[in-house]
Amino acid sequence: MRISDLFIYPLKSARGIAIPFSDIDAFGLPGDRRAMITDAQGHFITQRELQDLARIEVRPEASAFRLLMDGKGEIAVPPLQPGRRMDVSVWKEPVNAAVADDDSNRRLSEWLGREVKLVFFDGEAKRVASTEWAGGETPVTFADGYQILVTTTGSLKALNADLAAHGEGAVGMERFRPNIVVDIDEPWPEDRWAAIEINGIRFDLVKPCARCIMTTQDQQTGSRDVPNPMPAMGRLRMSADRRVPGPLFGWNVTPRGSGKIAVGDTVRVIEERAEGWPLKVRNRA
């Protein structure tokens, strides 16, 4: 098995960036989900309620954080200023974040047709993943809950085969917004993996990822008038464990070391679960 793709999402819920290699630290992939859009009160906003976020492209630069949006131009967000901070929330978890300048927030609000703020997870921000699943206190940025998301090509192939069998089209891996994509022919092997090793770094698969309406949206336009993977996930991947309800695709991963990884690196399973994740048996006719 090898890594086929690596992605980061500098702005939560905006377009991803394919990268050929990455450092790994306690937060996961540096640069991943370090910025976020909130409402005026600081509650995080995603494509779930604002589909146009899929139209925003991010270009991190040394002296600015540059945003581009189809038909809207670009915003070069200047370096953050000391003291511009506010309390924000991700799934009701509080984070004290740095806030972009007023002009950037004004222009971004005009782009999106509502008052929003652009905030950053800087060196002063603190947040940890669920200790129930990840153990200890592992740091995490603005990701939904964990440091890294891993998916496999074999599982996407199986999902698309079910979609095709029901005349429902096909979807790409971008719908699931992974960080690390593992190339393997077998479908759903990740349900049995407890830990994998890449380039000497251990990655624990701590919790399956329950999927939401974002998987139904085109990741360039935000449109939902596209093939929908939810029916196939409902037939194949409905969790039977109440702790993680809903359709599953991919696994949340916590790194247990630091180093570098790259597309093409070998992925080795170093620990397995005795049984895979329990799934509901559905009529797949």
Side-chain angles (χ1 to χ4, degrees):
M1 299 185 299
R2 295 186 181 276
I3 295 176
S4 64
D5 296 282
L6 291 171
F7 299 96
I8 59 171
Y9 307 86
L11 174 60
K12 183 178 179 67
S13 239
R15 292 178 181 173
I17 300 174
I19 55 176
F21 54 85
S22 178
D23 290 330
I24 296 293
D25 60 24
F27 287 95
L29 283 68
D32 186 52
R33 296 172 172 95
R34 296 300 178 102
M36 182 173 72
I37 291 173
T38 76
D39 61 20
Q41 290 72 44
H43 181 72
F44 79 123
I45 299 173
T46 71
Q47 286 183 42
R48 298 172 183 91
E49 63 268 28
L50 194 56
Q51 293 164 241
D52 274 349
L53 290 180
R55 297 170 55 203
I56 297 180
E57 178 185 350
V58 180
R59 294 181 185 171
E61 299 176 354
S63 60
F65 189 85
R66 193 172 301 274
L67 305 177
L68 300 90
M69 187 174 183
D70 300 337
K72 299 289 187 178
E74 64 179 59
I75 301 172
V77 183
L80 301 174
Q81 298 299 310
R84 285 186 62 89
R85 309 192 66 81
M86 66 182 293
D87 290 332
V88 301
S89 62
V90 183
W91 297 118
K92 298 183 179 181
E93 296 177 18
V95 182
N96 185 256
V99 183
D101 65 292
D102 289 340
D103 186 60
S104 295
N105 285 328
R106 177 187 59 78
R107 292 192 59 198
L108 191 56
S109 297
E110 291 173 355
W111 281 9
L112 297 173
R114 59 180 291 186
E115 184 180 357
V116 299
K117 293 184 181 297
L118 176 64
V119 302
F120 292 86
F121 196 100
D122 64 354
E124 296 182 39
K126 307 293 181 186
R127 183 176 175 234
V128 297
S130 168
T131 56
E132 176 185 359
W133 295 95
E137 288 199 354
T138 60
V140 65
T141 59
F142 289 139
D144 272 2
Y146 300 89
Q147 295 84 357
I148 294 171
L149 182 69
V150 168
T151 61
T152 67
T153 58
S155 297
L156 180 65
K157 183 178 179 180
L159 190 72
N160 276 325
D162 185 85
L163 285 167
H166 290 82
E168 295 167 349
V171 298
M173 192 66 85
E174 74 282 353
R175 294 288 191 91
F176 303 97
R177 300 176 67 83
N179 296 114
I180 300 173
V181 181
V182 178
D183 187 23
I184 184 173
D185 291 334
E186 180 187 355
W188 323 118
E190 59 270 31
D191 284 353
R192 300 190 309 274
W193 301 345
I196 58 177
E197 182 182 87
I198 307 171
N199 206 19
I201 308 167
R202 178 186 175 107
F203 298 84
D204 286 347
L205 283 75
V206 298
K207 186 181 182 183
C209 186
R211 310 313 304 218
C212 69
I213 197 171
M214 278 183 61
T215 64
T216 72
Q217 296 169 191
D218 184 286
Q219 288 301 301
Q220 290 292 307
T221 67
S223 172
R224 293 176 186 164
D225 188 21
V226 289
N228 180 356
M230 280 292 193
M233 287 192 287
R235 291 185 289 264
L236 301 176
R237 300 289 298 165
M238 287 299 292
S239 175
D241 188 323
R242 293 181 180 177
R243 296 175 301 165
V244 188
L248 308 177
F249 191 94
W251 274 76
N252 293 295
V253 171
T254 297
R256 303 301 186 187
S258 60
K260 298 179 182 295
I261 63 173
V263 171
D265 279 353
T266 297
V267 179
R268 187 166 66 95
V269 179
I270 58 174
E271 187 176 328
E272 290 195 341
R273 295 179 174 82
E275 299 180 357
W277 191 265
L279 299 172
K280 294 179 180 179
V281 177
R282 294 288 181 93
N283 180 2
R284 299 175 185 174

